[in-house]
Amino acid sequence: MDRETSQRQWYQHYYAASGDDRNNLRSNPEVLFQTLALESSVVRASRDITHAPSTALVLDVGCGGGGDIYQLVRIGYVPTMITGIDIQQDRIEAARRLYPQMQFIHGDATRMEFDDDSFDLVFESTMFATLPNDRDRTAISSEMVRVCKPGGYLMLVDWRTPKPGDSNYKALTRKELCTLFSVGTATRLMKVHKGALVPPIGRFLSMRTPSLYFVVWRLFPFLVGQVVYVLMKG
């Protein structure tokens, strides 16, 4: 099975199991505070990055339909300087409709056709969680480091906890991060920021007792499942 078909099936499995409105802010009240926690973590992570967003070239790896790019735009990155790549043609077409001023490429992130040292920021959001294949994870992480400029940054927004009982998910733990991205040699880990709570708890609090969401987030850090890793390429 090719990678494009594999990824399409992953998302079909996800939405068949979870429902089409799983991540819909308008129709699903479980999502709101999970989203707020995620967005807060990206903003805090951006403060670790010293380059000027207005002049930075950005690559969003596994950009999908462009649903997470707004987070970069609102912290100052310029749409015309952002490139997205995704292996699913239909999602790339959706991203082009959403952001016609950006460049979106239908391509395989395990072998990207960008020159070495091309981007000031290489970004991904919830991509590694959808990649259970170790070979693909290794190839994509290597490519992300390759296309990042020396002194540039990698921002990885992902889940450090797996989904129990579902082999379609695989966590990006700190230990695996250090292996995949050659932390200590090719890159340096700048900081780790807490994002959303593990979904069963975070979604319950978001819907039932939203006033307690960030109380739990602060008092019980082990319940945080999503993180933002900020790396600098050496």
Side-chain angles (χ1 to χ4, degrees), residues 105-150:
I105 297 170
H106 175 222
D108 188 343
T110 65
R111 48 181 188 277
M112 295 189 283
E113 296 182 0
F114 303 116
D115 291 338
D116 295 354
D117 309 332
S118 293
F119 297 95
D120 299 287
L121 175 66
V122 180
F123 175 86
E124 72 88 8
S125 182
T126 321
M127 177 183 63
F128 283 97
T130 72
L131 292 172
N133 185 298
D134 289 335
R135 181 181 59 190
D136 292 341
R137 294 164 77 86
T138 299
I140 291 174
S141 58
S142 177
E143 282 288 89
M144 290 175 70
V145 174
R146 180 184 68 79
V147 302
C148 185
K149 293 180 180 180

Side-chain angles (χ1 to χ4, degrees), residues 29-34 36 197 201-217:
E30 295 181 354
V31 180
L32 178 57
F33 277 74
Q34 289 285 83
L36 293 176
L197 295 169
I201 294 171
R203 287 176 178 267
F204 176 85
L205 291 173
S206 185
M207 181 173 65
R208 300 295 185 185
T209 55
S211 61
L212 293 179
Y213 187 98
F214 283 103
V215 175
V216 173
W217 180 89

Side-chain angles (χ1 to χ4, degrees), residues 85-103:
I85 183 171
D86 198 273
I87 199 166
Q88 296 185 70
Q89 180 68 54
D90 58 336
R91 291 165 71 82
I92 283 294
E93 291 171 358
R96 288 170 177 162
R97 291 192 296 270
L98 187 62
Y99 294 109
Q101 69 275 55
M102 297 181 189
Q103 180 183 21

Side-chain angles (χ1 to χ4, degrees), residues 151-204:
Y153 296 87
L154 299 103
M155 185 186 294
L156 312 169
V157 185
D158 230 303
W159 294 91
R160 67 180 180 183
T161 53
K163 186 175 182 179
D166 193 336
S167 61
N168 284 294
Y169 292 82
K170 186 170 182 180
L172 182 61
T173 64
R174 183 163 177 165
K175 180 179 179 180
E176 188 184 25
L177 173 90
C178 291
T179 300
L180 289 175
F181 290 89
S182 302
V183 174
T185 53
T187 68
R188 178 161 58 97
L189 179 59
M190 304 293 292
K191 203 160 185 181
V192 182
H193 294 271
K194 296 189 300 179
L197 295 169
V198 292
I201 294 171
R203 287 176 178 267
F204 176 85

